[in-house]
Amino acid sequence: MEDKDLARIFENAFPNTLDTTVRWHDDGKSAKSKRHKTGNDDDGHLDGAQSFIVTGDINAEWLRDSTNQLAQYQSLAKKDKKLERLILGAINTQAEFVIESPYCNAFQPPPPSEVPPVSNGQDDSVHPAYEPTRVFECKYEIDSLANFLALGNQFYKSTGSKDFMHNRWYLAVETLLEVLEEQAKPTFDSKTGNFQGNEYLFRRRTQAGTETLNLGGMGNPLKGDTGLIRSAFRPSDDATILGYFIPGNAMMAVELKRAAEMLKVVGKGELAKKLQARGESIEKGIWEHGVITHKRYGEVFAFEVDGYGSSILMDDANLPSLLALPVLGFTKREDKVYQNTRKMILEQAGNPYFLEGQAFGGIGGPHVGLQHPWPLSRLVQAMTSDDDDEISDALKAVRSSSRLGLVHESIHVDRITDYTRSWFAWANSVFAQTILDVA
């Protein structure tokens, strides 16, 4: 790599997950291996590798973050058995999380790790209830479940290994499908018009509107028969305004169909049919309800919709995002609707969270504020561009903002030294993936 500064950041970022965030790993082979008590199979135990991957400066595992943190190692796993066991363990551990608390997004260390749980310091009221020694936070985000599928899909594609496809993983997939079925229901019964509520409710005692759901913890009403799936929160952990979050639905559609193909190979035809049908239904719903006509940009993907005709036009730096739709595999870069959307969200006239200043610019979001764009967005911009100058500018912007040799969560538009999170493994992993992608 000719740019020595980029090379040094890559040298730091690529191994960052392995160096700093593998809080516990049991390869499942040693005599001292401990069984993870679950209480959901025949003898109440699960054998096999287990891995607990924390997000960085928070001692908890997010399904979304951990999948992305491991992504740059997937292509190496076939030739490196230790990496293969680590990722296999991560899949097994995520499966247990999904089985026990499928509506939750972040989890405590598994009991066999003997790593003590920590409190998130919040006052939350959540239905379904969860065990706080097992769950760090319980914000229902559709992309968390999509990332669980993605971790297995990537592993199978890279290694061809079927070791993770056991009864516990199948149960986790069935549990995921149950959540999707529940969250496809409208707020009002489609036949009678009667209010029918929702299986998931979240209320937090907070002064930040983005940290809780209105209407008694349910969120704004959604129309039925759209094919779309409700998401109470975004991948930024901020509440959705209109619950049909399009990037999350797009990722779920892709990963469901990928998993279906994988399941066909192992003879799980009926389960594969369920995943394929749900994936196709979501994809159809996105094109029917998630594409709107903008008077300036033409047909574009909305960020969120409600099925009644209302939409939110914006993008957020966190993945999945509208900018990342080709990276997710939902659409091709050259797709006209995507190109219109990309133009819209990469300028202030079209995206209220496209933030620029004297020192840094990019897409941000409400999670940190209106003066802190995220380097993640510039990395995704590079991965979705065919323009060498645009790619170079994006990488230079991230390089200039990474003065400690690692990638931060967000950067102040006018002060490079004003950043959030010096230790944020997800961003470092996406930097590594970007360099590998554009190299």
Side-chain angles (χ1 to χ4, degrees), residues 203-216:
R203 286 172 288 182
R204 171 171 290 178
R205 190 180 298 275
T206 177
Q207 294 182 340
T210 56
E211 286 293 317
T212 191
L213 297 177
N214 61 351
L215 294 174

Side-chain angles (χ1 to χ4, degrees), residues 352-374:
Y353 291 102
F354 186 83
L355 313 173
E356 286 186 300
Q358 297 178 355
F360 191 74
I363 299 172
H367 194 67
V368 177
L370 297 175
Q371 291 184 295
H372 281 80
W374 293 43

